[in-house]
Amino acid sequence: MKEGLRQSMAWLHTWVGLLFGWLLFAVFVTGTTAYFQDEITRWMQPEIAGERNLDASAEGALAYMKTHAQGAESWTIQLPNERSVAAMGYWKEKGETFRQWRDHAFMVDGQGRKVDARDTTGGWLLYRLHFDLHYVPVLWGRWAVGLAAMFMLVAIVSGVITHKKIFADFFTMRFGKGQRSWLDAHNLTAVLALPFHFMITYTGLVTLMSQYMPWGIPAAYEHPADYYRDHLGAGEPPKRSGIEAPMASLSDMIRQAREHWQGAEPGFIAIALPGDAHAVVKITQDTGAAMGTRGETLSFDAATGAMRRLPPVKGGASQTESVMVGLHAGRFAPLALRWLYFFSGVMGSAMVATGLVLWTAKRRQQLPDPLRPHVGFRLVEKLNIATISGLPCGIAVYFIANRLLPTGIPARVAWEAHWLFIGWGGVMLYVFLRPPRRAWVEALAIAATAFLAVPLVDAATTDRGMLRSLLAGDLVFVAFDACMLVTAAAFGWAAWTVHRRPAATRHATRRGKEAVA
Amino acid sequence: MVLCLPIAIVGFMGLCLGMSRHQRDVLGRVLSPMRSALCKAFGWTALASSFALAIARDGAAMGAVYWAGMLSLAAVLVALWTTWFSRR
């Protein structure tokens, strides 16, 4: 313990950053895409077009379930928000678990018509990847991401302490200077978006606090269900009366809700025991209607259409949580602010990526024999390449799979997700088979090609390609394709830069050796 | 937003030009301590005005969120601007 605070913090920062860096990169990248989750979903369901109309799609979804889901336990309608078009309806039959909802899900457009859109999880998959991961039980995924987030906080604090000249280097970015440049880039992306990094990590932990810090609930509540009732407005479920009763006008209940919220829109409608005299309609405010994301839920007697007693006003702690989660997810953000969120997310991803690369850049010179790095160094270098270019590449492959997988094949949704990991895994395998420097260039080039292919495949397989969308004034599709092209250009530029970079001695020798061999 | 971002950019430019390292890159010479201090004062004033403007337009909560995001963008743009000079 003779070494100073700064050295020990540097050690902590280095190893925590390395250990969780790959996971954090995936969390940052998928989280960044999640700010445009609804736009991604729209792009991934090109069959759905037109304008949103809340009331028409609510009535349309209701009418569909009246004909197809009589006697179900519950009907649910997820209404479109400001950035989407279609509503999604689903029902739960008696004895089914909530997770089976996908079996009875359907989409309704702004005119209340059911649309046969391709089966996809859309932007939702990337959003869920952000905190649930994939192929592992949700709880494990959340523990892993939570652990990474907690150590992210450690890395932020230790990073600030380690950074010697946080103000003197504030605007400093020197290109083409090897390790120095990587450090500049890491500092720049970290320091200039520091408020975002700190906010997003802290509030991210808050989103899942009842899992990470569950002890508060049993300390204050005898029954955990009471906590959820108070906090989330989940009331007692109604009991079936056995007497049939037609439902009053849903549009009128929506109107009452709007009036009560002074114009804020509803986002979610859940009807318990539809068709029964005891049926209850619950209307929840759109999560994007205010900065606090947990909007109020109003209950109505389905048979009479009358509003039941108002939910209790939330306490300070509850409202603070709601705002923190809202600040994290940015659902309230209008378009300009949404782009700022996206930009900050890109900065975060770049911060993690440059930090990972810095680990190798720093150690390369100190290797006893740079030609034969030890196995740990090689593993880190390969994992860096495989993650930094592989995951984005996988996302591009996911988009391409959305266009190329035939509609109606069994488990289409699962296969779209599999393709994300096939794309990522493919790059990883490739990277492990190639010498590091070539692996960088080629993996980055593969990612660039994949992103370039997205708008091309889109134009070839749908009638909503970039040019047509531009002519039709469909800015969501134009912007999506433009983002793909910009990402392709960024990866292409990175590949080109690595390719052209004057090879260090070690590379020159290595290539010499390859030429001989 | 329309006015806020340019003001923040100008503010960061002021702070940046108050530092001798960037003075050499951007202006090709080092400013006197007096002028450097003036640049910094101007920079802080501009940043404060952009904050006031954001709050005035969008209210304390929304304005602060906007301002924080915009500040990052403005700072990155200014950092790239100085880099562009140092590379020439």
Side-chain angles (χ1 to χ4, degrees), chain A residues 167-174 188, chain B residues 12-31 78-83 85-86:
Chain A
F167 292 109
D169 279 347
F170 199 80
F171 298 109
T172 304
M173 179 65 235
R174 286 155 292 193
L188 197 82
Chain B
F12 275 125
M13 281 178 166
L15 289 185
C16 184
L17 288 180
M19 299 160 82
S20 55
R21 177 191 294 171
H22 299 300
Q23 291 164 1
R24 270 193 294 271
D25 285 342
V26 178
L27 307 171
R29 67 199 170 91
V30 176
L31 298 177
V78 172
L80 293 177
W81 171 72
T82 60
T83 307
F85 275 103
S86 64

Side-chain angles (χ1 to χ4, degrees), chain A residues 165 167-175 188 192-196 291 327 332-334 336-337 340-341 343-344 347, chain B residues 1 12-13 15-16 19 21-22 61-62 65-66 68-76 78-80 82-83 86-87:
Chain A
K165 297 179 286 183
F167 292 109
D169 279 347
F170 199 80
F171 298 109
T172 304
M173 179 65 235
R174 286 155 292 193
F175 281 101
L188 197 82
L192 298 189
L194 195 59
F196 173 82
M291 199 178 280
L327 210 52
F332 68 94
L337 184 56
L340 288 176
Y341 261 113
F343 166 78
S344 300
M347 292 280 279
Chain B
M1 184 66 186
F12 275 125
M13 281 178 166
L15 289 185
C16 184
M19 299 160 82
R21 177 191 294 171
H22 299 300
M62 198 68 163
V65 178
Y66 253 117
M70 205 194 52
L71 217 52
S72 290
L73 178 62
V76 169
V78 172
L80 293 177
T82 60
T83 307
S86 64
R87 281 180 104 185

Side-chain angles (χ1 to χ4, degrees), chain A residues 63-116:
Chain A
Y64 184 82
M65 287 190 280
K66 274 182 181 162
T67 8
H68 292 86
Q70 277 295 347
E73 282 288 292
S74 67
W75 294 347
T76 306
I77 305 168
Q78 174 88 56
L79 293 168
N81 62 20
E82 265 183 343
R83 302 178 293 128
S84 46
V85 172
M88 184 173 62
Y90 52 89
W91 63 88
K92 190 170 89 81
E93 298 285 1
K94 199 170 180 169
E96 278 181 342
T97 66
F98 181 71
R99 310 200 96 206
Q100 283 165 304
W101 62 269
R102 243 190 186 287
D103 300 341
H104 327 284
F106 61 95
M107 308 289 294
V108 177
D109 71 6
Q111 288 161 305
R113 295 174 308 200
K114 178 177 177 280
V115 265
D116 283 315

